[in-house]
């Protein structure tokens, strides 16, 4: 049997498992509606599922777990629901950081910082700092994330590099472009 691959960009060959798993958090509202509960009860239940999934991924040897938590389109939801989701994200960062650290989980956040409430950013930054040495699992939260926004932001970064002479347009290829995506290094 092949040796267990320890690199986070590699492949867990021992159990032939993927290295990186991404989950779109969906169906919270429908879950609640089916039970005659308000949508926010679905989000609360979703948070419990997040805890279970994070623990399971760390246990079975997944190296990166991306949770698509809040999209750039989700701002169009009712104000109260958006506020509740922001509060849940902040509480998760505050309350779970110590346990994540204990379990060897490193928290990482991708997406646009602009637009997120300062208290949410502060809690996430603190949790990322607190868990920075985790080497078992990277928990990647996609927050205020959109695929198109990611491409636009990467393009802006490439243009900025070009303007200060750091990038030659002729040598720009998929690999160098991907270094500017939020997922660089993952
Ligand atoms: C999808 O269900 C869920 C969301 C848009 C939000 C998920 C985010 C959280 C629970 C908060 C933060 C999480 C972490 C991990 C910090 P939906 O409302 O689209 O449900 P529906 O498809 O049934 O309408």
């Amino acid at each position: 049997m092949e040796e267990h691959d320890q690199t986070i960009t590699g492949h867990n060959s021992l159990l032939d498992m993927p290295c990186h798993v991404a989950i779109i958090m969906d169906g919270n509202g429908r879950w609640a509606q089916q039970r005659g509960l308000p949508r926010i009860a679905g989000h609360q239940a979703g948070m419990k599922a997040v805890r279970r999934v994070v623990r399971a991924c760390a246990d079975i040897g997944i190296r990166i777990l991306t949770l698509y938590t809040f999209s750039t389109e989700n701002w169009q939801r009712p104000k109260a629901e958006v506020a509740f989701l922001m509060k849940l994200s902040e509480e998760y960062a505050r309350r779970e950081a110590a346990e994540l650290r204990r379990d060897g989980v490193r928290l990482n956040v991708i997406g646009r910082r602009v637009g997120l409430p300062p208290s949410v950013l502060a809690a996430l930054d603190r949790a990322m700092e607190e868990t920075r040495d985790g080497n078992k699992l990277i928990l990647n939260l996609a927050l205020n994330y959109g695929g198109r926004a990611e491409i636009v932001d990467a393009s802006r970064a490439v243009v900025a590099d070009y303007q200060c002479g750091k990038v030659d347009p002729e040598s720009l290829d998929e690999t160098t472009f991907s270094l500017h995506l939020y997922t660089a290094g993952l």
Side-chain angles (χ1 to χ4, degrees):
M1 201 177 279
E2 288 174 67
E3 217 177 287
H4 188 145
D5 187 342
Q6 291 295 329
T7 60
I8 55 168
T9 51
H11 173 246
N12 187 338
S13 51
L14 185 66
L15 296 169
D16 200 21
M17 279 197 300
C19 171
H20 189 159
V21 171
I23 297 177
I24 297 176
M25 295 177 67
D26 195 19
N28 289 353
R30 275 165 287 161
W31 182 93
Q33 267 162 1
Q34 282 160 10
R35 287 159 181 78
L37 299 168
R39 290 178 60 82
I40 60 169
H43 295 315
Q44 270 163 335
M47 293 307 293
K48 286 190 189 159
V50 164
R51 291 186 192 97
R52 285 201 304 275
V53 164
V54 170
R55 221 170 296 129
C57 284
D59 284 351
I60 65 175
I62 300 289
R63 306 313 303 270
I64 306 169
L65 170 65
T66 292
L67 298 179
Y68 197 172
T69 304
F70 190 88
S71 75
T72 45
E73 288 73 32
N74 284 157
W75 295 109
Q76 285 151 21
R77 291 185 177 224
K79 247 181 162 180
E81 187 176 349
V82 169
F84 187 76
L85 291 171
M86 290 298 132
K87 192 178 99 184
L88 278 184
S89 303
E90 184 177 337
E91 277 177 8
Y92 182 78
R94 281 192 206 290
R95 294 191 184 154
E96 305 286 322
E99 190 173 330
L100 293 176
R101 181 190 166 123
R102 236 185 352 260
D103 293 344
V105 180
R106 170 151 72 91
L107 185 73
N108 186 53
V109 181
I110 61 169
R112 279 196 175 149
R113 290 177 68 89
V114 176
L116 290 171
S119 61
V120 175
L121 287 172
L124 290 167
D125 286 344
R126 209 170 306 124
M128 281 193 283
E129 179 58 30
E130 200 176 331
T131 60
R132 62 185 286 183
D133 294 329
N135 59 9
K136 208 168 171 192
L137 173 75
I138 295 175
L139 171 59
N140 197 33
L141 295 185
L143 201 59
N144 197 15
Y145 174 86
R148 288 169 190 229
E150 180 170 26
I151 293 168
V152 169
D153 289 352
S155 305
R156 284 184 182 151
V158 169
V159 171
D161 276 1
Y162 169 70
Q163 283 171 336
C164 60
K166 276 203 242 159
V167 73
D168 160 22
E170 293 302 315
S171 67
L172 184 65
D173 59 13
E174 288 170 29
T175 309
T176 44
F177 190 80
S178 74
L179 296 174
H180 296 280
L181 293 172
Y182 303 143
T183 47
L186 300 178

